[in-house]
């Protein structure tokens, strides 16, 4: 993606959720969402910045969605 990407996920019920982006070293880069996600489709936009607002470098990143009793990780690539 370049310069931003939309990460969508479906919630089977309204519940607590956390969506975080990590680099290949496993370091937290950005917390996109940490709160109560509504039932159904939810979407968050990542603009390629870290938690301090600085642009990250091109490369492979992982996003992890964590909900009550479930965790899912997917890979994405930022190309500038």
């Amino acid at each position: 993606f370049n310069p931003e990407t939309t990460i969508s996920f479906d919630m089977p019920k309204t519940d607590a959720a956390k969506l975080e982006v990590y680099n290949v070293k496993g370091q937290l880069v950005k917390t996109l969402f940490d709160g109560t996600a509504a039932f159904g489709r939810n979407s968050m936009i990542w603009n390629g910045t870290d938690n301090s607002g600085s642009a990250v470098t091109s490369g492979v990143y992982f996003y992890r969605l964590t909900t009550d009793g479930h965790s899912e990780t997917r890979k994405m690539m930022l190309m500038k």
Side-chain angles (χ1 to χ4, degrees):
F1 68 92
N2 183 14
E4 65 183 28
T5 187
T6 301
I7 301 170
S8 298
F9 57 94
D10 294 315
M11 293 291 290
K13 63 180 181 174
T14 299
D15 204 353
K18 185 183 281 190
L19 183 61
E20 299 170 306
V21 177
Y22 293 86
N23 62 21
V24 293
K25 294 178 182 178
Q27 299 165 320
L28 177 64
V29 173
K30 178 92 171 194
T31 301
L32 296 175
F33 183 81
D34 187 4
T36 303
F39 165 78
R41 174 68 49 137
N42 291 264
S43 297
M44 303 297 154
I45 296 173
W46 183 42
N47 61 0
T49 61
D50 62 17
N51 276 330
S52 65
S54 301
V56 299
T57 60
S58 295
V60 175
Y61 293 87
F62 299 90
Y63 65 88
R64 179 170 51 188
L65 173 66
T66 307
T67 61
D68 185 31
H70 180 75
S71 181
E72 183 176 314
T73 304
R74 299 277 171 99
K75 183 167 58 170
M76 59 188 163
M77 181 176 290
L78 171 61
M79 297 171 48
K80 293 186 177 182

